[in-house]
Every structure is written in C-alpha cells, then in structure tokens.
Amino acid sequence: MTVRTRLAPIAEHVLPYAATLTMLGALWCVFIYAPDERMQGPVQRIFYFHVNCAWSAFLGFFVAAGASGLFLWRGRPAYDHLAQAGVQVGMLFCTMVLVTGPIWARPIWGTWWTWDPRLTMTVILWTIFAVYLLLRATAHDDPEIARYGAVLALVGVLDIPLIMVSVRLWRGMHPSVISAPEGKGGLEDPRMITTLLVTLAAFLLLVAWLLWRRYETLRLHDEIHNIEDRFTEVAA
Amino acid sequence: MSAPDRLWFLYAAYSAFWLLLAGFLVHLGRRHRAVDRAVRALEARLEKRA
C-alpha cells in the first residue's frame, strides 16, 4: 500500500469537511470573537487572513521546492506533479497576499503600495513562480523543461527566508506579524492569538485539500497520457 | 478616515479572498472535468477495440 492510497480516504472524505468547518470557525473568530485593535480598528481583521495567506503561500512553495529536489534526485513523475501542485497553490495564496495587503495598507499607510523591502521581495517571489507556471504551461510534457522548472522552484524558495527577515534586516514599513521589535503592538489580546491559531488551522486544512486535488488531477492526466501512448503503440 | 469607510476595506479584502478562491476552485473543477472526459474517451476506445 503506497502513501497515496493510505492518504486518499482521508484526503477525499475528511479534508474538505474539516477545512469547511474550521474555516467557518475562523470567520466567526475573525468577525465576532476577536476584539478591535486599538489603533487600526476593524481593518486589522484583514491581518488574520492576510498573514495566513502568506504562510500558506510559503508552505505551497516549500512543498514545491522539496518535491522538485526529490524529482531532480529520483526523477519520479509523482514528485514533479507534487511540485506543480505546490506552485499552483502557492501562487493562489501569494496572489491573495498581494491583493489583501494593499487593501489593508490604503487606510493604514494612506497608500495602496510602497516599495517596502518585504513587499518588494514578495513581488519577486510571485514573479519567479509565475515564470515557473509559464514555463510549465508552454512545455507541459517536456522532461527537460520539468528539470528547469525544478531548479527554478529551488532557487525561488530562497526568497522566502529573505521575506521573513526583511522587516528586521532592512527596517521596512511592514509591521512584524506576531510582536513588534520593541515588544509592543502585534497581537496584544489573547483572543487575537486564538483567532490567528484557528485561522491557521483552517488554512492548513485548505492548503492540504487543494494540494491533494491538484496533485490527483495531474497524476490522473499523466496516467491517461501513458495509457493512450501504450494504446497507440499496440495499435501501430 | 471614518469607521464605515474602514469597514469597506475590510469587506473588500475578504471579498477578494473568496473571489480568488472561487476562481481557483472553478479552475480545478475544469481540469477535473477534462480528466473525466479523457477517461471516458479512453474507455470508448477500449470498448471499440474489444
């Protein structure tokens, strides 16, 4: 029994319901349970989804990089499918970060966008993986392109540690997520921390489910292609 | 900026999130249907051959 067949029943029958239920709980926490932040007011509630979108994007890209490394090492198509699924899910959440961030920034900073180090590095991350998707879309079955894509995913993921430390390293405008450097700001109320954790659980389940769905579609697509090829060979 | 104006930004951010997620789910659904069609086409070819 492979890992995939062991995971399949959970991924198919448990994950979507668990993700939906925890997401409903997360929305209740965000809009009802969590208190307003003193300085920002209700706009701060964007933070709970914005931050988790960023973490989900990082998770997707790390999965893609890990699977890409394994694909380069072992050469099994399953790793390439997982890498592609990771990039697609990562790109979805990275796009959400780049959309929800400016909507938060407009009332708080007075501008939709600024070339702050963290924001700039996030745009670079999005661009690297957009190139990956373009590369794979233009030459889906080419094994050489799959290897180039794997290398690109491994290089692209190096941007994530830079995004994480950019606030402290280059003293940008972007706030620290959990606590400000001087120990003030961030999540002051325990209900805010609970809300962040519930939202994190919802996002982890959502990411796992989306990764599974995309991986399965890619795997089945590849299997059908292989069967068609064999069928054509036999017919010839 | 007044509180109702700020609420507009809150709803805009969450609407954007759900719209993007819905778009991705539609994309996933289309890919899934394409795989379904390919399976059916393959089954038809096999039946024809049998």
Side-chain angles (χ1 to χ4, degrees):
Chain A
M1 206 180 206
T2 63
V3 175
R4 196 191 69 77
T5 47
R6 271 202 298 268
L7 286 176
I10 300 168
E12 293 289 342
H13 305 295
V14 179
L15 268 183
Y17 302 107
T20 307
L21 282 175
T22 44
M23 191 55 86
L24 288 172
L27 285 170
W28 180 81
C29 284
V30 168
F31 287 100
I32 294 163
Y33 177 67
D36 266 350
E37 206 263 348
R38 278 182 295 121
M39 304 294 285
Q40 299 178 28
V43 182
Q44 185 268 347
R45 292 172 201 268
I46 294 173
F47 157 94
Y48 301 110
F49 268 46
H50 175 72
V51 170
N52 278 300
C53 283
W55 289 346
S56 301
F58 296 164
L59 179 62
F61 293 143
F62 274 124
V63 166
S68 294
L70 286 167
F71 174 66
L72 287 174
W73 182 30
R74 297 272 175 91
R76 280 177 57 190
Y79 294 128
D80 185 43
H81 299 150
L82 185 59
Q84 286 185 70
V87 172
Q88 289 180 16
V89 172
M91 276 298 281
L92 167 71
F93 287 103
C94 198
T95 307
M96 287 171 172
V97 171
L98 291 172
V99 170
T100 56
I103 297 174
W104 171 85
R106 182 68 184 89
I108 302 300
W109 289 346
T111 179
W112 293 102
W113 185 262
T114 174
W115 291 102
D116 169 270
R118 179 168 279 188
L119 274 61
T120 309
M121 301 304 282
T122 308
V123 170
I124 292 169
L125 184 73
W126 188 91
T127 310
I128 291 169
F129 285 101
V131 170
Y132 176 100
L133 289 182
L134 279 173
L135 199 67
R136 299 310 303 266
T138 50
H140 182 72
D141 294 328
D142 189 337
E144 194 73 13
I145 296 292
R147 282 195 290 276
Y148 288 146
V151 173
L152 188 62
L154 285 167
V155 173
V157 88
L158 297 176
D159 190 35
I160 295 174
L162 290 177
I163 294 173
M164 310 273 266
V165 297
S166 58
V167 173
R168 288 165 201 273
L169 209 63
W170 294 299
R171 296 176 183 278
M173 284 172 75
H174 195 285
S176 284
V177 172
I178 306 298
S179 65
E182 62 271 22
K184 296 206 169 198
L187 301 177
E188 289 166 340
D189 193 296
R191 286 174 294 175
M192 291 177 171
I193 296 167
T194 307
T195 302
L196 183 67
L197 291 175
V198 172
T199 318
L200 174 65
F203 271 73
L204 284 175
L205 290 166
L206 180 64
V207 168
W209 182 61
L210 292 176
L211 273 175
W212 173 262
R213 293 301 312 157
R214 195 65 194 104
Y215 169 81
E216 276 295 285
T217 312
L218 286 162
R219 186 187 64 79
L220 284 171
H221 185 265
D222 202 42
E223 270 188 23
I224 290 164
H225 259 281
N226 289 340
I227 294 168
E228 278 176 344
D229 286 349
R230 269 185 278 165
F231 198 78
T232 313
E233 275 172 25
V234 170
Chain B
M1 196 175 275
S2 66
D5 285 342
R6 288 195 166 199
L7 274 178
W8 184 90
F9 287 99
L10 178 65
Y11 294 131
Y14 279 88
S15 301
F17 171 85
W18 290 111
L19 279 174
L20 283 166
L21 184 63
F24 189 74
L25 290 175
V26 167
H27 167 74
L28 277 184
R30 278 185 185 161
R31 293 294 177 104
H32 192 79
R33 279 194 295 278
V35 168
D36 268 352
R37 277 197 300 274
V39 169
R40 278 197 298 274
L42 203 60
E43 279 172 353
R45 277 177 76 181
L46 284 168
E47 271 176 31
K48 206 173 158 185
R49 201 178 150 83

